[in-house]
Amino acid sequence: MADSAGEFGDRSLAITDDLMLKYAGTHAWAMRLADGLIASGIRPGDHVGLIVANHLEFVPLKFAIAAAGAIAVPFDYVYRQDGLAYVFAQSGCSVLITMTSFGDLDYPAMLDAIALGWANGSSEKLPSLPRGQPGCFLQGLRAPLVGAR
């Protein structure tokens, strides 16, 4: 990403109806997010779950996770509770970055029903989340980071 940001810095990388990300801006954002992930305890090889719809935030998040040396595990953002429970339990994620909602889907409520205490890393049903570690928010992102070490 750094090489592309240097070479194509002012070119568009991702465009939506309302917003546009350029290479240089995306790289800078991703590096800030990576710093936050690392400061929150993310280590190389950790699995980081993502429940993020097709929003621009997905792009710098994916690069940030890679820059931190972690492995991004994108979840289908239209999963209902049973599907989400199954894939999250199988994923080995030590961190989950999630939107609060999408359409009629309320992710915190679904996660509460799946494993009460997930936001504090205290759920026996999600053993890969670190024990006793509170969730936190990545500044400037509409999605919370939970289960950080």
Side-chain angles (χ1 to χ4, degrees):
M1 182 69 198
D3 290 343
S4 295
E7 187 173 345
F8 307 113
D10 204 35
R11 290 189 190 171
S12 299
L13 174 65
I15 301 171
T16 69
D17 291 340
D18 302 320
L19 301 169
M20 176 177 48
L21 291 177
K22 297 185 183 250
Y23 279 85
T26 302
H27 176 66
W29 190 4
M31 293 304 95
R32 287 191 308 273
L33 290 169
D35 289 345
L37 289 168
I38 293 165
S40 295
I42 302 302
R43 300 289 176 254
D46 282 354
H47 291 193
V48 178
L50 289 169
I51 304 174
V52 180
N54 296 330
H55 296 299
L56 283 181
E57 289 90 348
F58 184 84
V59 177
L61 273 170
K62 188 82 165 65
F63 284 118
I65 292 165
I71 301 162
V73 182
F75 293 82
D76 189 334
Y77 61 90
V78 296
Y79 277 141
R80 300 289 174 175
Q81 186 173 310
D82 290 342
L84 182 60
Y86 178 78
V87 297
F88 192 64
Q90 300 297 314
S91 71
C93 290
S94 57
V95 172
L96 175 64
I97 300 172
T98 180
M99 303 179 294
T100 54
S101 64
F102 184 83
D104 66 341
L105 299 173
D106 180 339
Y107 299 107
M110 283 194 287
L111 289 164
D112 283 345
I114 293 166
L116 192 60
W118 66 274
N120 296 316
S122 61
S123 174
E124 292 182 20
K125 291 187 178 181
L126 299 174
S128 57
L129 288 178
R131 290 278 192 232
Q133 295 294 321
C136 62
F137 286 87
L138 292 176
Q139 189 173 14
L141 184 67
R142 296 179 296 191
L145 166 70
V146 298
R149 287 184 214 156

